[in-house]
Every structure is written in structure tokens, then in C-alpha cells.
Amino acid sequence: MTIGNFETADLRSDTVTRPGPGMRAAMAAAEVGDDLFGEDPTVRALEDRLAGLFGFSGALFTPSGVMANQIALQLLVGPGEELVCDAEAHVLAHEEASPARYGGIQTRTVSAERGVITAELLAGVVRRGNPYTLGTRAVEVEQTHTRAGGTVHPLETLRAVRELTAGAGLAVHMDGARIWNAMAATGTSAREYGETADSLSVCLSKGLGAPVGSVLLLPVEQLSRARKLRHGLGGGMRQSGILAAAGLYALDHHVERIAEDHAHAEMLAAGLTDAGFTVRPPETNIVIVEVARADEVVARAVQEGVLVTAPGPETVRLVTHLDAGQKACRRALDVLAAVMTDVVTGVRNTAPAGHL
Ligand SMILES: Cc1ncc(COP(=O)(O)O)c(C=O)c1O
């Protein structure tokens, strides 16, 4: 898309990427079959590859990350049972109350700093059940944590959570939509992360740049139940190898390059800091900037071909990805620094004395 003479710099989300010619060619050439009958070789290849990579015995291709998470939660937590997660978790904020609606799951939240759930935090929260008390059944962690700004749960933290939960007989589901970013940022391997959870959902359509899909990794004993849940949620797909092929292509071509997205996020954060704004130091590909009248900043930037979001009234969010190269990010920086300075100056000039 172009606005005026400029290519649009779309930093609203890493979900906006479009498949390039190589990925499209791989999709067109995919061998397919009816996956509801378990007969799609390309889906099978994707599932097997990811199961092997993260060290799980089973895997299930789903149309979305939401569906992968909800299947996982329903597998681990029954109706009338309790899930503990961060108050800003994606499964709560952006999944249409599905734990309650479809799983009958009671959620109890903790307010984790930077969205990072620790064993210390959990120790004071998880409950053993008794005839009068609802016990905790599972814990959910998000790697990386989106609403906190792409923050990373360190491996040691996850291991400690795993130890505590295992000791208490609780399961752990990891929403690893952006686990690829955590791997790129820390050098931690897929298998090391995989060892810290009972189930793990990974997205193909965010940093990896595929158009559709997630894969839920789980013990193979749970696979047939997971397939039934997916079907019941309307996620039984037929010749979905055409989509899985995009995921396989992304695993071959788009994993290594994620470090570039992180470098672009660093560059944006440094530039906006230099321009006088408070920026949360990005850990991965998400940059959060504090600025008054965030909605106005978003609206003005769009007119200059720079697309960002305002998750709060005084925060602007930028997400770097495959389709926003260095040139686009540099332009976004110039435009945002100018627009934000202008908006803030306007606020200063119009606010009553003492209000800024
Ligand atoms: C942390 C996290 N989990 C899950 C999802 C859901 O993925 P999808 O949009 O494929 O349903 C997202 C989407 O942005 C996400 O950020």
C-alpha cells in the first residue's frame, strides 16, 4: 500500500505480513489430502517437524492461535476448575472470554511485573483444593508477553514455575505465539522452552510471516481429544496442507531473520528516546512509547503513511516484522518523532498552567 509518495510503514502488528513469491510457490505446490481424515501429508510434515523441534510427542495444526490456546486450556482444565494466568494475558484480553464461554473455566489472575509469571508469585496464589475450596488446576504463561510489550520469560523463571507446578500437581500451558522472538532474543532453544510446559501453542502467522495458522504441541495421548475439540470449535480443516506449506516455508526461511526485527525495534526505541520520549526498552519486536493523546498521534501518523496502534490513552505501540524493513522503520521513526513532538507541544500550549 502507498500513501502519497511513500510506501506505507505498517507497524500495527506482526500479523500484517503477506506471503511473498517463495511462500506462495510452496503453497501452490503443496501435496494435500483431507486432514480431518488425517490424510494431509503436508500438515503431517508440519506437525511432526514442530513436535520434534520443541520435544513434544504430539502436535495439532489449528487455524489460529486463539483456537490452539483454547483447545489446550480445555484439555488441561475442566469445567468448574481453575486456571491461573496473568491479568493481561492474551487468553483473557483477546480471546472473547472463551475460557469461560466454551470451557466453563474459572480464571484467577495475578498481576505479574512485565507479564512475567514467577514461581514466587505463584506460590502465594495457587490453591490446593478441598471440599470447600476450589483448587488450581493449571497455570498459563505467555512467551513473549504481548500486552507487556514483547517481554521474555527467562528460561530459569520458566524452569522454576515448572518445578513449583509439578510439585503441586498442576499443568502449565504456554502461549508461545511469539516464542520465536524469545528464542531469537535469548538464544534459548525450542527444546529447552518445550521442556517447561505441558502444552505449547506456537504461531506461524506472526514473526514467521505465514498467512494463517498455529500448532498446538502436546503429549500424543491427548491428540485424539484435541482433534475432537478442534472439530467442535469449527477448526477441522480439509486440504489444509496448502496452509501448512506456508508454515514449513517460514520455518526454513523466516526464523533466522527475526533478529532483524529486534534490531529495528532497538533502532526505533533509541530514536524516540533521543527525541525526548519515554520508551520501554524493547526486549523483542514490540516498542511501547508513552505519549499524551495517543489516539491523535495514531491518526496523524496514518496521514503520513505510518500505521501504529494506541493500546492505551497514553501509549503508542510499534511492532516490527518481516514486511517492515530498515527503510520503512527509519521513515516511521522520523514521522513519529515529528508527529509526537507536535502533539505534545500542542497539549502543552492548550493545557491550563500546571497540568503538564
Ligand atoms: C500472545 C498471543 N497469543 C495468541 C494470539 C492469537 O493468535 P491468532 O490471531 O492467530 O488467533 C495472539 C495474536 O496476536 C497473541 O499475540
Side-chain angles (χ1 to χ4, degrees):
M1 188 183 6
T2 52
I3 295 186
N5 293 326
F6 298 110
E7 260 311 295
T8 306
D10 190 346
L11 300 177
R12 287 171 301 167
S13 171
D14 48 13
T15 57
V16 301
T17 56
R18 293 163 206 203
M23 185 177 278
R24 284 173 191 256
M27 295 171 77
E31 228 186 294
V32 295
D34 190 326
D35 180 54
L36 214 53
F37 296 149
E39 290 171 3
D40 190 303
T42 311
V43 170
R44 187 61 55 81
L46 176 69
E47 290 173 341
D48 288 351
R49 179 155 168 194
L50 284 167
L53 187 65
F54 285 90
F56 282 81
S57 53
L60 183 72
F61 185 41
T62 62
S64 68
V66 169
M67 192 181 286
N69 281 337
Q70 295 307 320
I71 292 170
L73 297 185
Q74 288 190 45
L75 285 171
L76 299 179
V77 189
E81 294 183 339
E82 182 180 273
L83 172 77
V84 167
C85 62
D86 177 57
E88 294 296 329
H90 193 280
V91 293
L92 286 191
H94 303 295
E95 303 196 4
E96 309 301 343
S98 294
R101 191 195 295 236
Y102 301 116
I105 295 170
Q106 168 156 294
T107 43
R108 198 145 60 93
T109 58
V110 294
S111 290
E113 211 185 316
R114 297 165 42 255
V116 174
I117 291 193
T118 62
E120 293 73 27
L121 195 55
L122 288 176
V125 173
V126 296
R127 285 188 294 234
R128 281 185 198 282
N130 66 33
Y132 309 106
T133 310
L134 184 64
T136 307
R137 192 66 207 85
V139 171
E140 192 262 359
V141 298
E142 193 173 308
Q143 181 77 312
T144 65
H145 194 293
T146 308
R147 288 176 65 83
T151 50
V152 177
H153 282 75
L155 182 60
E156 286 317 312
T157 304
L158 292 170
R159 283 182 172 154
V161 166
R162 178 68 164 169
E163 204 181 313
L164 177 124
T165 50
L170 311 179
V172 175
H173 171 64
M174 188 185 301
D175 174 355
R178 292 187 180 78
I179 199 160
W180 314 102
N181 296 89
M183 285 158 58
T186 62
T188 303
S189 71
R191 192 167 274 264
E192 284 172 311
Y193 280 142
E195 283 165 0
T196 66
D198 293 277
S199 59
L200 167 64
S201 58
V202 301
C203 272
L204 305 164
S205 62
K206 311 222 158 39
L208 290 193
V212 174
S214 281
V215 173
L216 175 60
L217 303 164
L218 74 182
V220 71
E221 301 76 44
Q222 294 180 349
L223 192 53
S224 58
R225 239 190 103 209
R227 290 183 75 89
K228 293 286 281 177
L229 285 168
R230 181 183 67 174
H231 191 216
L233 291 169
M237 298 183 285
R238 303 294 181 170
Q239 286 70 30
S240 43
I242 220 156
L243 302 173
L248 285 165
Y249 181 91
L251 289 171
D252 287 335
H253 297 93
H254 295 167
V255 173
E256 301 287 314
R257 60 147 311 283
I258 283 178
E260 291 171 29
D261 300 341
H262 296 181
H264 293 152
E266 287 284 351
M267 188 266 286
L268 287 161
L272 292 171
T273 305
D274 287 349
F277 294 94
T278 303
V279 183
R280 279 187 222 163
E283 296 182 31
T284 53
N285 69 327
I286 301 179
V287 182
I288 308 263
V289 193
E290 288 175 25
V291 60
R293 293 190 183 167
D295 286 338
E296 196 179 325
V297 170
V298 171
R300 300 247 315 248
V302 124
Q303 288 167 5
E304 308 278 338
V306 173
L307 278 58
V308 293
T309 57
E314 302 206 335
T315 46
V316 165
R317 187 185 85 157
L318 295 63
V319 185
T320 57
H321 54 78
L322 173 65
D323 283 3
Q326 195 177 43
K327 204 165 137 209
C329 289
R330 280 197 190 285
R331 212 181 95 67
L333 172 58
D334 291 345
V335 165
L336 284 170
V339 164
M340 283 166 36
T341 303
D342 208 36
V343 167
V344 169
T345 311
V347 173
R348 280 206 191 99
N349 290 343
T350 51
H355 280 244
L356 260 182

